[in-house]
Amino acid sequence: MAKVEMTVNGKTVSGEVEGRTLLSDFIRGGLQLTGTHVGCDTSQCGACVVHVNGQAVKSCTMFAAEAEGAEVTTIEGIGGNDGSLSTVQQAFQDYHGLQCGFCTPGMVMSATALLKDNPKPTEAEIREYLEGNICRCTGYHNIVKAIMAASGQDVGAIAAE
Amino acid sequence: MYNFDIVRPSSVADAVAALGEEDAQALGGGQTLIPTLKQRLASPAKLVSLAGIAEMKGVCTGDDGVLCIGGGTTHGTVAAEATAYPALAALAGNIGDPAVRNRGTIGGSLANNDPSACYPSAALASGATIVTNTREIAADDFFEGMFTTALNEGEIICEVRFPVPEKANYQKFEQPASRFALVGVFVAKYADGVRVAVTGASNDGVFRWTEAEAALSSNFSSSALDGMSVSSDDMIADMHGSAAYRAHLVGVMTKRAVAAAG
Ligand SMILES: Cc1cc2nc3c(=O)[nH]c(=O)nc-3n(C[C@H](O)[C@H](O)[C@H](O)COP(=O)(O)OP(=O)(O)OC[C@H]3O[C@@H](n4cnc5c(N)ncnc54)[C@H](O)[C@@H]3O)c2cc1C
Ligand code: FES
Ligand code: FES
C-alpha cells in the first residue's frame, strides 16, 4: 500500500492504495463518489470518464497512483456548489438525452471536455467525439441534440428523430 | 489483476535503473497494458510509469526536416502538434477515442506492435528511426512479427524520428467494435521512392508491400496498382474477416491512400 494524494472536485483528498488500484475504484470505493460508473471495466464503454488535469480519461484504465498530485473532476464536480446543473447537464434533461442514465456521467464528462476544446462542434464532430461512449438506451440522437443545445446551436438541424 | 508496485521516475536514467530490477515493466499510457493486466496475461512485480518523464514528451521538427516525437507523447498531442506531417497527425487523431488518445503513447504503441495497430504502419512507411535509451533502430529492423520487436528487456523508446515525405496518406478500414484497423495502409512518397506499409492484415504483423512500392515509385497513381494483389496465405482470418477479404482490402486501401495523398 502507498499513500496517494490528489485534488478531486476542488478538495484535497488522500488515501492508501495498492499499485493495482484503478482510479475508478479509488473514486467509487475510496471516496464514495459513485456517480462515476463502471460499465465494462475493459476501456470500451466510457461510463467511467472523468477529467484528469482537464483531460477526459477512462478512470477504469488508469491507476490511482498515476493521479498523484493531479486535479481530478468527476460528475459530482460538474454542477454548481448549490446543486444546480451545468449547462450540459441541463441540456441532457431538456432534450431527454438519457433513459436509464447509466452512461450519462461519462457522456456528460466527455461532452464537457469536447465543448471546452471545441465550443461549437458540428453534429459529425459530436458523434465522432463520443466514439468511446456507449449508450444502450437512447440511440444517441437526443444526446447529440443535448450537446448541440448546450453549445448554443440550433438542434432543429439534426435530421434523425 | 495481480498486485504490483508503481514507481514514477522523472528521468530516463531513473526509469532504466528501475526497469533493471527483476520483473519490472514499463507503463506508458496503460491503454493496452492495463487491460492485459486485468486479464492476468502479464504479472510484473513493478510497473515503471514513464508518464512523468518530461524529456520523453513533445513534438519538434529538426533542421533536417525530420519530425521528432518523444516516446511518451500521447496520441492526442501528436494529433494536435505534428502539423509538419499531416498524414501522421491524422492517423494519431483517429486512434481509438478521445479518452484513449489522452493517455495512450506512441512509444507504447510501437513497443506493443499489435498486428492491428496504426502507428507501426506509419513508422515503417516513413522509414522512421526508433531511438531508445541505448541505440537507434531503423523501422525496417524494429518490427519482428506480431507483438514482437527488436527491443531488449528494459529498453525504452525515448523518441521516434520521422523523415517528412512529399506526400502521404493513411487509410484505415476500421473494425467497428474495437476501432483498430481491420486493414490499414500507409503510403509515403519521398524523393527517392514510395514506401507502402500494411497493418491489420498479416499474421506476421506490419509489412511493406514492395511490389506496390515499385509500381508507385515509377507512377504515383492508383491506376499503377491495377491488377496487383497480395497473397492471402499469411493473412489474419477471424470473425471480422477472412484471409481473402483482408488481402482484397489491402489493394483497395492502398489505392484509396494513393488517391487521397494526391
Ligand atoms: C478502446 C481502445 C481503442 C483503441 N484503438 C486503437 C486504434 O484504433 N489503433 C491503434 O493503433 N491502437 C488502438 N488502441 C491502443 C492504444 O493506441 C494504446 O495506447 C497503445 O497500443 C499502447 O500505448 P500505451 O502508451 O497505452 O502503452 P501501455 O499500454 O502502457 O504499454 C504497452 C506495452 O508497451 C510497453 N511500453 C510502453 N511505453 C513504452 C516505451 N516508451 N518504451 C518501451 N516500451 C514501452 C509496455 O511495457 C507494454 O508492454 C486502442 C486502445 C483502446 C483501449
Ligand atoms: S468502465 Fe471504463 S470504459 Fe467502460
Ligand atoms: S441512457 Fe441507458 S445506457 Fe445510456
Side-chain angles (χ1 to χ4, degrees):
Chain A
M1 301 286 269
K3 188 171 180 237
V4 63
E5 189 174 296
M6 63 189 83
T7 308
V8 177
N9 301 333
K11 288 196 205 91
T12 304
V13 298
S14 62
E16 292 282 320
V17 295
E18 292 185 321
R20 63 181 166 185
T21 304
L22 297 168
L23 181 59
S24 52
D25 290 337
F26 180 69
I27 289 170
R28 288 177 54 82
L31 304 178
Q32 297 288 301
L33 293 171
T34 53
T36 298
H37 289 171
V38 176
C40 65
D41 208 23
T42 57
S43 333
Q44 308 290 324
C45 75
C48 65
V49 169
V50 302
H51 298 174
V52 175
N53 296 328
Q55 290 195 311
V57 305
K58 291 176 174 173
S59 62
C60 76
T61 313
M62 174 169 178
F63 295 115
E66 293 182 279
E68 167 75 34
E71 297 263 351
V72 177
T73 306
T74 71
I75 187 70
E76 288 88 349
I78 280 289
N81 288 336
D82 57 355
S84 60
L85 300 180
S86 75
T87 311
V88 172
Q89 287 175 312
Q90 187 61 53
F92 268 67
Q93 187 180 86
D94 293 346
Y95 288 87
H96 199 53
L98 63 152
Q99 289 180 22
C100 79
F102 193 86
C103 70
T104 312
M107 289 288 179
V108 169
M109 297 310 287
S110 284
T112 304
L114 166 65
L115 296 186
K116 185 167 67 79
D117 292 347
N118 184 358
K120 298 265 182 249
T122 63
E123 179 186 347
E125 285 169 342
I126 294 172
R127 290 186 188 274
E128 190 181 309
Y129 197 89
L130 296 181
E131 268 190 348
N133 290 81
I134 294 174
C135 175
R136 181 66 182 78
C137 305
T138 63
Y140 301 98
H141 296 319
N142 286 352
I143 292 175
V144 176
K145 280 186 184 172
I147 298 170
M148 280 296 233
S151 63
Q153 302 186 89
D154 181 14
V155 295
I158 296 179
E161 275 302 313
Chain B
M1 259 182 287
Y2 297 111
N3 201 16
F4 43 78
D5 292 331
I6 297 188
V7 292
R8 300 171 80 215
S10 55
S11 71
V12 170
D14 288 350
V16 169
L19 285 168
E21 288 171 38
E22 206 171 314
D23 290 329
Q25 185 174 0
L27 172 66
Q31 300 304 290
T32 294
L33 185 53
I34 295 177
T36 308
L37 291 165
K38 286 179 181 176
Q39 292 175 63
R40 294 188 166 178
L41 294 173
S43 51
K46 177 178 279 190
L47 287 186
V48 180
S49 166
L50 306 176
I53 304 178
E55 60 188 295
M56 276 179 61
K57 289 188 187 184
V59 179
C60 68
T61 315
D63 297 338
D64 46 2
V66 173
L67 184 80
C68 307
I69 302 179
T73 311
T74 62
H75 309 328
T77 300
V78 174
E81 296 180 13
T83 45
Y85 193 164
L88 185 70
L91 173 148
N94 199 30
I95 291 176
D97 55 60
V100 167
R101 296 196 286 274
N102 282 337
R103 298 289 303 164
T105 66
I106 186 170
S109 178
L110 294 176
N112 194 49
N113 194 18
D114 186 303
S116 302
C118 301
Y119 266 129
S121 68
L124 193 57
S126 308
T129 303
I130 288 107
V131 183
T132 74
N133 53 306
T134 56
R135 58 189 169 140
E136 298 186 359
I137 310 170
D140 281 313
D141 303 323
F142 183 80
F143 303 104
E144 297 186 340
M146 202 183 260
F147 296 113
T148 315
T149 69
L151 290 175
N152 295 320
E153 197 131 317
E155 194 172 359
I156 301 175
I157 299 176
C158 299
E159 187 178 277
V160 190
R161 298 196 186 131
F162 291 88
V164 177
E166 292 167 359
K167 294 177 176 181
N169 189 260
Y170 176 63
Q171 289 288 320
K172 168 173 163 183
F173 191 94
E174 276 182 31
Q175 199 272 76
S178 74
R179 294 180 292 282
F180 274 84
L182 189 65
V183 168
V185 177
F186 200 107
V187 172
K189 181 178 185 293
Y190 290 90
D192 60 352
V194 175
R195 291 170 66 111
V196 177
V198 179
T199 188
S202 169
N203 280 315
D204 291 329
V206 66
F207 69 93
R208 280 174 68 185
W209 186 12
T210 47
E211 272 182 289
E213 290 181 351
L216 292 168
S217 293
S218 50
N219 173 18
F220 193 72
S221 107
S222 55
S223 61
L225 301 167
D226 284 345
M228 224 178 248
S229 62
V230 288
S231 158
S232 62
D233 287 353
D234 273 329
M235 296 278 145
I236 300 170
D238 58 20
M239 63 185 288
H240 307 294
S242 65
Y245 182 62
R246 279 191 165 83
H248 177 71
L249 273 181
V250 173
V252 174
M253 300 320 274
T254 307
K255 281 190 173 181
R256 285 188 190 171
V258 172

